[in-house]
Amino acid sequence: MNSAAKQTTSAPDGRSIRWEAHRAERRGDLIKAARRAVHSLGAQASMEEIAAASGTSKSVYYRYFGDKSGLQQAMGEVVINQMQEKILSAARSAASPRSGLRAMVSAYLQMAQTSPNVYAFVTGSPAGEASGTSEPGVAAALSDFFANISAMMDHAVHAYLEGHESDALTQAAAGYWPTAALGMVRAAGERWLATPSGPGRPTEAEMTDQLTAWLFDGIGWDTPEPAASSSSPSATAHDRSGRGPATAGADK
């Protein structure tokens, strides 16, 4: 076979390229339509309901995604990538480790709050319930997502520690902090999403500030001594001045 024949054989088929481009575009349109449908119908919407809300047939979705888990994976990859881009972008533009962490928490809560139904659909768990039921493809995307966020947080916490005196144990244990922080933010955020709106539900800004404070400062108040909690107001006042209930009783 001469070189001209080889070039002709290996040359890409223009029709095939156009078909693949059309298929990719159609697939993207179906994901967008499904995302709108899930936002309105809820995370438990069936393929038939999603297709009807999207103005097409269930068979079209099956043709492009195989089944509901295939659609979940495809939508999850899109949504998770968008969340990751926004969160990491927010962290990169921050002026300090603390403001960077706050920006990341805020971006996460904002993205999840934009559509709790879509968030629940792509993570495989209803908001407020235990995670871990994701389809394998979604689980892999989530794992990569949290690994990238964790790496950014790890960089931030070490930058923070460099500006403060810390012993060797603190430096070594700091490597566990991003995993712990992510777990708390995700668990608290999902419970917050599941909480009905009302006076007892923090706003997104309040929740962001509270989570940031917990991560950097801890709870922030002392637990009363058991004896003090059962004392009278006057005895408690003596406690605060350094005199316990026994001393107050001996004065009488």
Side-chain angles (χ1 to χ4, degrees):
M1 184 181 291
N2 58 37
S3 59
K6 289 182 180 180
Q7 290 177 0
T8 302
T9 303
S10 61
D13 186 341
R15 288 174 298 178
S16 176
I17 293 175
R18 288 193 296 272
W19 168 247
E20 288 301 322
H22 169 75
R23 183 176 175 80
E25 183 178 0
R26 177 63 171 151
R27 182 182 170 88
D29 290 340
L30 288 170
I31 291 173
K32 289 178 183 178
R35 189 171 175 174
R36 290 192 295 268
V38 170
H39 175 80
S40 300
L41 299 172
Q44 303 307 313
S46 67
M47 287 288 275
E48 187 171 2
E49 291 171 329
I50 291 172
S54 302
T56 188
S57 65
K58 183 170 61 174
S59 62
V60 171
Y61 271 97
Y62 280 117
R63 187 186 314 143
Y64 278 86
F65 303 102
D67 54 18
K68 187 175 180 179
S69 65
L71 174 62
Q72 181 190 29
Q73 178 178 339
M75 192 190 304
E77 290 171 353
V78 172
V79 173
I80 291 167
N81 285 338
Q82 289 177 347
M83 289 183 72
Q84 177 174 293
E85 183 179 342
K86 183 170 183 178
I87 291 171
L88 295 182
S89 176
R92 292 189 191 102
S93 62
S96 68
R98 187 183 186 111
S99 63
L101 177 63
R102 189 193 184 285
M104 293 174 77
V105 172
S106 179
Y108 171 77
L109 293 180
Q110 285 178 21
M111 290 288 287
Q113 185 184 32
T114 297
S115 182
N117 289 336
V118 171
Y119 178 88
F121 186 83
V122 302
T123 59
S125 301
E129 296 186 9
S131 303
T133 58
S134 303
E135 294 296 326
V138 177
L142 279 172
S143 177
D144 183 64
F145 166 68
F146 285 116
N148 288 331
I149 303 302
S150 179
M152 176 67 80
M153 294 177 77
D154 187 62
H155 176 76
V157 73
H158 279 93
Y160 176 81
L161 290 175
E162 285 176 3
H164 299 75
E165 291 186 7
S166 57
D167 56 27
L169 177 60
T170 300
Q171 292 284 350
Y176 298 96
W177 185 86
T179 301
L182 276 172
M184 187 177 83
V185 171
R186 184 179 181 187
E190 290 182 357
R191 181 169 179 178
W192 172 71
L193 287 174
T195 303
S197 298
R201 184 180 190 266
T203 64
E204 180 272 315
E206 290 169 341
M207 194 68 191
T208 295
D209 287 338
Q210 188 64 77
L211 285 170
T212 304
W214 285 340
L215 290 170
F216 265 85
D217 308 322
I219 292 298
W221 65 76
D222 295 329
T223 303
E225 292 294 331
S229 62
S230 60
S231 303
S232 65
S234 59
T236 302
H238 282 296
D239 287 344
R240 289 171 182 164
S241 65
R243 301 172 62 191
T247 305
D251 287 345
K252 290 181 181 179

